[in-house]
């Protein structure tokens, strides 16, 4: 059992998204999985360029993106893995641009445009999206973010199997709120939540990782 996680935040150490992914992978490891964490923002890659090489009838292989860049070997390794966990901060109500680019390259080569077999991914696997965001939970619906999260969930289900969502809300954005524009935030409430609620989110991530590594899609 191999579980791959992808950090779609440019902040790669100690911040919200990557911390939750690390906990998810620890949970997966506790269930016996081998794990790999990919830092998307360390890679030089682009989103889909709409070349349609993956849709050509005379293609040599199914599910392979013709673009060659830093993401190519990563996508090759996805073919052999048994669960995918994708973490992203919410940027302007959706996934970060790096995460969007990754999702395009991950999913589109497996889309067959055939009602009898819509996905070319060779097996059904568990996937999860972990979203971290500034807004509190009660604003998610009002802002329409839930529609975005559910749309991505639907596409991952279509291509791969199951998809679970984990939302971490009202996250800490700055190490020190006195140094940055932050008038609209209650900094003490932010620090307190980071110490009291974020550890619970980490625990939920750990349980998610364990579930992903021990259940069938
Ligand atoms: C460019 C940018 C856009 C953002 N847009 C939103 C947003 O639309 N909604 C939201 O709740 N948070 C937004 N945020 C806040 C981040 O989603 C939040 O701080 C997140 O937890 C950061 O994750 P990280 O600590 O892993 O980098 C934005 C942050 C940045 C840098």
């Amino acid at each position: 059992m191999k579980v791959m996680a992808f950090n779609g935040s440019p902040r790669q150490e100690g911040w919200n998204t990557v911390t939750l992914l690390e906990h998810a992978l620890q949970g997966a490891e506790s269930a016996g999985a081998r794990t790999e964490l990919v830092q998307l923002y360390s890679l030089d890659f682009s989103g889909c360029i709409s070349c349609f090489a993956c849709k050509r009838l005379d293609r040599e292989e199914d599910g392979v993106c013709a673009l060659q860049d830093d993401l190519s070997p990563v996508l090759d390794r996805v073919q052999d893995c048994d669960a995918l966990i994708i973490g992203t901060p919410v940027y302007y109500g959706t996934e970060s641009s790096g995460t969007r680019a990754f999702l395009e390259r991950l999913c589109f080569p497996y889309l067959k445009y055939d009602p009898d077999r819509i996905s070319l991914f060779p097996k059904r696997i568990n996937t999860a999206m972990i979203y971290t965001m500034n807004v509190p939970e009660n604003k998610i619906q009002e802002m329409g973010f839930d529609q975005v999260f559910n749309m991505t969930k639907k596409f991952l289900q279509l291509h791969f199997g199951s998809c679970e969502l984990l939302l971490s809300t009202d996250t800490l954005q700055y190490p020190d709120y006195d140094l940055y524009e932050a008038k609209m935030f209650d900094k003490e409430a932010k620090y307190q939540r980071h110490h009291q609620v974020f550890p619970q989110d980490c625990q939920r991530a750990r349980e998610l990782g364990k579930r992903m590594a021990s259940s069938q899609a």
Side-chain angles (χ1 to χ4, degrees):
M1 159 68 68
K2 166 94 187 275
V3 179
M4 287 180 82
F6 305 87
N7 178 24
S9 171
R11 303 200 289 184
Q12 303 189 353
E13 267 179 47
W15 281 97
N16 300 288
T17 311
V18 73
T19 302
L20 292 171
L21 288 170
E22 284 164 354
H23 279 84
L25 290 184
Q26 285 163 17
E29 283 161 17
S30 77
R34 288 178 298 121
T35 63
E36 177 182 352
L37 175 62
V38 177
Q39 298 283 2
L40 292 175
Y41 278 82
S42 291
L43 305 178
D44 189 4
F45 70 100
S46 79
C48 174
I49 58 163
S50 201
C51 69
F52 296 123
C54 63
K55 302 287 171 278
R56 283 193 66 99
L57 296 173
D58 63 354
R59 64 183 180 270
E60 281 175 11
E61 278 179 291
D62 281 343
V64 175
C65 178
L67 256 187
Q68 287 297 315
D69 56 21
D70 285 0
L71 198 61
S72 311
V74 175
L75 294 175
D76 286 347
R77 295 202 293 283
V78 167
Q79 298 246 11
D80 299 321
C81 90
D82 306 289
L84 303 172
I85 309 175
I86 301 163
T88 181
V90 171
Y91 283 179
Y92 286 96
T94 187
E95 294 88 9
S96 67
S97 58
T99 307
R100 296 268 351 143
F102 169 65
L103 286 169
E104 289 168 9
R105 295 278 301 283
L106 172 71
C107 295
F108 198 58
Y110 294 120
L111 181 66
K112 189 159 155 60
Y113 290 139
D114 176 346
D116 297 327
R117 189 185 172 196
I118 201 82
S119 174
L120 291 166
F121 195 69
K123 53 191 171 180
R124 299 280 85 188
I125 63 171
N126 291 320
T127 71
M129 286 296 302
I130 296 180
Y131 289 93
T132 75
M133 68 209 84
N134 233 333
V135 295
E137 197 172 352
N138 62 9
K139 290 271 177 223
I140 289 177
Q141 226 176 336
E142 184 184 317
M143 308 278 289
F145 292 177
D146 55 326
Q147 291 174 34
V148 173
F149 304 156
N150 283 320
M151 180 66 74
T152 299
K153 174 178 174 166
K154 220 184 258 178
F155 281 124
L156 286 172
Q157 285 172 330
L158 188 76
H159 290 85
F160 297 104
S162 77
C163 180
E164 222 183 291
L165 298 180
L166 190 152
L167 311 183
S168 177
T169 58
D170 204 357
T171 53
L172 191 75
Q173 182 158 339
Y174 304 128
D176 181 347
Y177 277 69
D178 290 332
L179 302 181
Y180 300 89
E181 295 287 355
K183 223 177 187 172
M184 67 187 276
F185 302 121
D186 176 344
K187 64 178 180 184
E188 292 309 329
K190 281 280 189 190
Y191 295 136
Q192 196 184 7
R193 185 174 170 88
H194 189 66
H195 285 113
Q196 289 178 357
V197 179
F198 190 67
Q200 295 170 22
D201 295 342
C202 291
Q203 182 56 30
R204 288 194 295 130
R206 193 179 267 272
E207 287 158 13
L208 173 141
K210 195 172 177 182
R211 250 189 332 275
M212 307 244 332
S214 47
S215 68
Q216 288 286 327

